[in-house]
Amino acid sequence: MAHVSDLIASDIEQYLHVHQHKGLLRFITCGSVDDGKSTLIGRLLYESHMLFEDHMTALQADSRRWGTQGEEIDFALLVDGLAAEREQGITIDVAYRFFSTERRKFIVADTPGHEQYTRNMVTGASTADAAILMVDARKGILTQTRRHSYLVSLLGIRAIVVAVNKMDLVDYSEQVYRRIRDDYEAFARQIGVEAVTFIPVSAFKGDNIVSPSPHMDWYRGPTLMGYLETVEIDEDRMQAAPFRLPVQWVNRPNLDFRGYAGTLAGGVVRPGDRIRVQPSGKESTVARIVTRDGDLEQAVAGQSVTLTLADEIDISRGDMISAAREPAGTADQFETTLIWMHDEPLLPGRQYLLKLGARTVTASVTAIKYQVNVNTLEHTAAKKLELNAIGVCNISLDRPVAFDPYTDNRDTGGFILIDRLSNNTVAAGLIHFALRRSQNIHLQPVDINQEAHARLKGQRPCVLWFTGLSGAGKSTIANLVEKKLHAEGRHTYLLDGDNVRHGLNKDLGFTDADRVENIRRVGEVARLMVDAGLIVLTAFISPFRSERQMARELLNEGEFLEIFVDTPLEAAEARDPKGLYRKARRGELKNFTGIDSPYEAPEAPEVHVDTTRMTPEDAAELIVEHIRNAGYLAP
C-alpha cells in the first residue's frame, strides 16, 4: 500500500517508468466545518509514506504550538498552511496535495467547510473525479453537508464516498453509523445521486483508512484507501465519448508547419480521421498527431497533442476540432446553471466575459428562470443572484461557440463568467442545452445599410451619451445641443430618461437590476437609430460603468461619445428641480443615485462638462464644436 517500492533500490528506471504510467485520481474532501477534512488528508499523506523525517519533526513542533489534539500529532496541520487557518483551526483556501501508492497517483483538494467559502469548494470540485464527503458522527447530516452534496452532484462528480468520521468519539457505534447512512440516502435520492459508498472512519486514529478497523468488525466494506485505489477515473469514461479538441494554440514555427495544439477533452483520434472545425463547420482529415517525443498512432482523452490537417483551414485559438460524424453543438444562447461566487450580485442584462475552454466571448444573462434553495431543493423566483446562490438562467453570447451539455462533457460544457472591469471570476456555469431561438433566428441582410442612410443625410451617425447625477443638467444640455444641430439641418433624435420610462421602459423600477435593463434597452434602440444614420442624444443617469461600456460596445468604433455632465452631489441636491433628493432623504424614494445607490463616474469620457464653471449654453457649444472637429458633421 505504501509509496515506497523495492524497485527504487533495484531498478530506478523501471520504477520511474511504472510511476509515470500509473493512473491519476483527482478528488476533493468536503463537508461542514470541523468534520475532519484536513486531518483525513494528513493521515493519507502519513499512511502513504509521503512525509520525510524533517516534515515529521516540523509537524510534531507545529502540533505542540497549534495543535488541537493534546499531546498527539495533529495531522490537519500538514494541510492548513495559512496562519489564519492554524489560529482558527479551519480551512479557508483550497489546499492541493499529491501522494501515491503502488497502484495509483492522487491529487487531493482540501476545500473549506464554511458557507462563505463555497466558491473555493466549487473551484476544487471543478476538476475532481471523486469526492469524499465528511460527516461528523456526533452531528450527523448538516446544512453544509447538503449544500456540498448538491454542488458535487451538480458539478458532475459521479464517485461519492460518505466518510462518517470521528467514530472513535461515539464508541464505534454501528447504530450511529446506520442512522447517518439512512438519513443521507434519503437526501441523495432527492438530488438524484444514485451510487454512494459509505465508510465509517476515524481520521485521527486511522480506523478504516488503510487497514480494516479492529473496532468495527460489523463493517464489511472497503477501506478508504482501497476505495480510492479502485474507483473509476473519469478519463476512462471520457475516452469513450465523441472526439473533442479545444484549440489552445496554433503552432506555427515556420512556413512548412501548421499545427493545432490542445488537450483532448473527449474520445480518441487517429491519423486519417475525418474532423469538423467549429463553429465554422469546415471539415478536413487528420494528417499527423505530433508530440515532443514523436508522432502517435492515436491520442486519447487527457493527452496534450498537436494535430496537423490535410487541408489549409482557418482555425484560431478557442475553436473546437470535433469528430465529423459526432460534432459538438454550436449556439449563442443557452439554458445554464450558474453558481454565483462574487460579493456583487448578478444582474440580468449586465455584460460579462464568458470563458469556455480557450474561447472568450461577451455574455449577458437574459433571464433568471429560478433560484435553487439547496437546503430544501425548492425553486424560487429571483431577480438577481447573491453570493453563493445557484440559479438556472438563460444566457446570450455575442457570437456562437462550440459546446456539449455539461452532463456529457465537463470540459466542453463548463464555463466561467468574468467581470469586465475588475477581471474577477464571478461565476461558474454549466450548459444544459442551446435555446431553440438560437438556431431559428438569423440576421436578415438588407440592401440599404447604415452607410447609405448616413450618406443621404450628409453626416456621420453617432450616439452622444450624456451621463451624470440627477439634476446635473443632462436633459437641459442635450436639448440645447439638439436645437443647435437641428438649426444646422442635422438629423437627430433625443432619448431622454424620463420620456423613455413613459413608454418603452414603463415596466421598470429603480433597482440595480432594473437600471441595468433600462440602459440595455436604450442602448439597443440607440444602435438601431445610428444604423438609420441619425445622431442620437441620450440623457440618462446610467450610473454603472459596466452598462455604459455595454452600450459603447453595441456600436462600431468611434460611434459612441460619452459626455460626463459633472456636477457635485451637493450642487445637484441644491438644485433638485423635481424634488427627488428631498424625497430620497426622507426615505420615500429608495435606490436613488447619490443617496442610497452608487454613481460610478466615467474614467475617460470623450467630453467632460463641469457645470460649476460653465453655463448650459456654453456646455452645448463645447459639445457641438467637439463633434464638428471630430468630423461627425462633415457633408
Side-chain angles (χ1 to χ4, degrees), residues 2 28 137 161 164 287 322 386 492 498-499 543 558 616:
I28 65 167
V161 55
V164 183
S322 303
E386 303 281 1
T492 64
D498 285 349
N499 294 346

Side-chain angles (χ1 to χ4, degrees), residues 56-68:
M56 286 300 302
T57 301
L59 178 61
Q60 291 168 352
D62 288 342
S63 297
R64 288 192 293 271
R65 181 181 180 187
W66 305 99
T68 60

Side-chain angles (χ1 to χ4, degrees), residues 620-633:
E621 189 61 39
L622 173 70
I623 294 166
V624 171
E625 282 305 307
H626 178 86
I627 62 175
R628 189 188 311 281
N629 295 335
Y632 292 94
L633 305 183

Side-chain angles (χ1 to χ4, degrees), residues 241-247 264-269 273-286 307 309 315 318-330 401-404 409 412:
F243 164 62
R244 301 286 186 265
L245 179 74
V247 178
L264 267 69
V268 178
V269 65
D273 285 354
R274 193 72 181 166
I275 59 90
R276 181 179 299 177
V277 179
Q278 297 176 285
S280 70
K282 296 178 180 178
E283 295 192 6
S284 183
T285 301
V286 176
L307 299 185
L309 304 181
I315 302 177
D319 287 346
M320 179 100 73
I321 301 178
S322 303
R325 292 186 178 181
E326 298 177 283
T330 59
V401 296
F403 77 99
D404 289 294
N409 193 315
T412 58

Side-chain angles (χ1 to χ4, degrees), residues 323-366:
R325 292 186 178 181
E326 298 177 283
T330 59
D332 59 4
Q333 296 185 63
F334 305 95
E335 182 188 90
T336 67
T337 292
L338 286 182
I339 304 164
W340 193 251
M341 304 189 298
H342 199 260
D343 295 326
E344 293 293 325
L346 163 71
L347 300 178
R350 174 165 288 180
Q351 289 192 335
Y352 302 92
L353 296 178
L354 181 147
K355 186 172 177 59
L356 173 60
R359 171 77 74 188
T360 301
V361 297
T362 300
S364 62
V365 172
T366 55

Side-chain angles (χ1 to χ4, degrees), residues 34-44 46-47 59 63 67-77 134-136 138 163-170 172 200-210 213 215-216 224:
D34 200 31
D35 279 344
K37 299 180 292 296
S38 298
T39 301
L40 175 67
I41 295 176
R43 170 64 71 172
L44 289 172
Y46 176 77
E47 296 289 354
L59 178 61
S63 297
T68 60
Q69 306 295 343
E71 297 298 319
E72 302 283 348
I73 293 177
D74 189 346
F75 289 105
L77 298 179
M134 302 293 289
V135 177
D136 189 327
R138 301 168 301 170
V164 183
N165 192 30
K166 303 186 180 181
M167 290 297 295
D168 55 309
L169 300 182
V170 294
Y172 301 101
V201 302
S202 171
F204 176 54
K205 298 292 187 180
D207 293 283
N208 282 338
I209 302 299
V210 173
S213 170
H215 303 105
M216 291 179 279
L224 186 59

